[in-house]
Amino acid sequence: MGTTRPSLKIIYALIKSLANITFIRTTSGSDPLIRTMTPTVASIRKLIGLLHLASPALPIGAFSYSQGLEGAVDGGLVHDGATAQAWIQSGLENVLAPNELPMLAILYRGWEDGNYTEVSRSNAWYLASRESFELRQETEQMGWSLAQLALTLQWHDNARQIILHSLKPICLPTAFAYAAGALGIDLESCIAAYSFNWIENQVSAALKAVPLGQIAGQKILFAMHTLIPDVVLHAIETGPDRISTFAPHLGIISARHANQYSRLFRS
């Protein structure tokens, strides 16, 4: 039986998302294609910044939100590991991939290019695209918290700090893109970290709301590994005219969650 081989494009994106690697041709042997990989100080610093930004310990309040998953549990749509995985995968592929992640890419480019008009416009567009009041509150609160952290730690130059401070309200993708650029994280890694962070938070919510065991949660998290590269590359290649948001089921569940009798999460 044959095996499926990933494309070179995906392999390259995975390598680049971990660190910028310097390829050095070795002097031993006669084969000029033999090379060794040597990490640089810059690549190590970037990786540390990436781990910092994607850490569950980042004080932006992500743990208090389930982004509709708790409402799905209350409605009987999610009730075990398999249905939790299906819910999370659907959210990644049908909610984040066509809207949130491409918008993150646009915001990242806007910050790095100094195109603050585009940053402001995209920030406002994303806020308007939220499917419910709870989901808008969520991105505003987390965006504000991350922006305050970035300003307190003086991430990025003064010009960008002034623009960041002026964006009120600010959504999470806007603040995350700003922080990624400030920490020297490249675009692919920024989107990969955002995606993994979202998945990890969804798994954490499922552990409490379904509930699930730790191993069941790790199985879901690991299953999402193979999906992230394609989602990241799709987000980078999606232009502004192809960004869309259409998640009526999520909107209805989220709206109902606001009046749910008993709940653990704010969304």
Side-chain angles (χ1 to χ4, degrees):
M1 296 178 62
T3 58
T4 301
R5 299 178 62 185
S7 68
L8 291 177
K9 190 174 184 181
I10 292 177
I11 293 173
Y12 172 76
L14 285 170
I15 294 174
K16 191 174 180 181
S17 69
L18 292 175
N20 287 326
I21 301 296
T22 301
F23 290 90
I24 302 175
R25 182 173 298 179
T26 60
T27 56
S28 60
S30 59
D31 189 348
L33 296 179
I34 297 176
R35 296 167 186 265
T36 184
M37 294 184 294
T38 304
T40 64
V41 171
S43 70
I44 294 172
R45 285 177 177 170
K46 190 197 80 169
L47 182 56
I48 293 171
L50 183 65
L51 293 171
H52 187 173
L53 192 57
S55 171
L58 201 68
I60 61 174
F63 66 90
S64 63
Y65 299 101
S66 81
Q67 294 200 345
L69 191 145
E70 186 177 35
V73 171
D74 185 69
L77 297 173
V78 176
H79 51 80
D80 58 15
T83 52
Q85 180 173 328
W87 174 269
I88 294 170
Q89 181 173 339
S90 177
L92 177 65
E93 295 178 333
N94 300 315
V95 179
L96 265 72
N99 179 12
E100 196 161 343
L101 298 181
M103 187 56 67
L104 176 64
I106 290 173
L107 285 160
Y108 179 96
R109 294 185 186 106
W111 280 119
E112 292 307 288
D113 295 341
N115 188 350
Y116 305 134
T117 299
E118 178 61 36
V119 168
S120 179
R121 187 199 70 80
S122 297
N123 180 71
W125 190 98
Y126 181 78
L127 287 170
S129 75
R130 295 301 77 210
E131 290 83 1
S132 72
F133 177 69
E134 277 192 348
L135 295 177
R136 171 153 178 158
Q137 277 192 320
E138 173 184 322
T139 196
E140 285 186 11
Q141 184 273 307
M142 293 173 66
W144 181 87
S145 296
L146 182 52
Q148 292 306 302
L149 176 66
L151 291 171
T152 300
L153 298 180
Q154 297 184 330
W155 288 350
H156 243 324
D157 54 54
N158 288 335
R160 288 179 174 85
Q161 288 183 43
I162 292 171
I163 298 299
L164 181 69
H165 181 74
S166 69
L167 290 172
K168 297 175 182 177
I170 183 170
C171 65
L172 179 59
T174 303
F176 197 94
Y178 173 95
L183 294 173
I185 299 168
D186 60 76
L187 178 58
E188 295 93 335
S189 301
C190 169
I191 301 173
Y194 191 99
S195 302
F196 187 84
N197 207 346
W198 180 88
I199 294 168
E200 188 176 40
N201 191 64
Q202 286 283 282
V203 169
S204 178
L207 295 183
K208 301 170 187 175
V210 176
L212 298 177
Q214 293 290 339
I215 297 300
Q218 288 301 308
K219 286 181 178 179
I220 296 173
L221 194 60
F222 184 67
M224 297 296 111
H225 283 203
T226 58
L227 303 177
I228 293 177
D230 286 339
V231 168
V232 170
L233 295 176
H234 173 78
I236 293 172
E237 295 168 359
T238 300
D241 58 333
R242 293 172 54 204
I243 294 178
S244 64
T245 173
F246 184 72
H249 199 187
L250 175 62
I252 292 170
I253 288 174
S254 179
R256 288 177 174 174
H257 181 265
N259 298 309
Q260 190 171 305
Y261 175 73
S262 178
R263 55 182 184 166
L264 298 172
F265 300 97
R266 298 171 66 184
S267 71

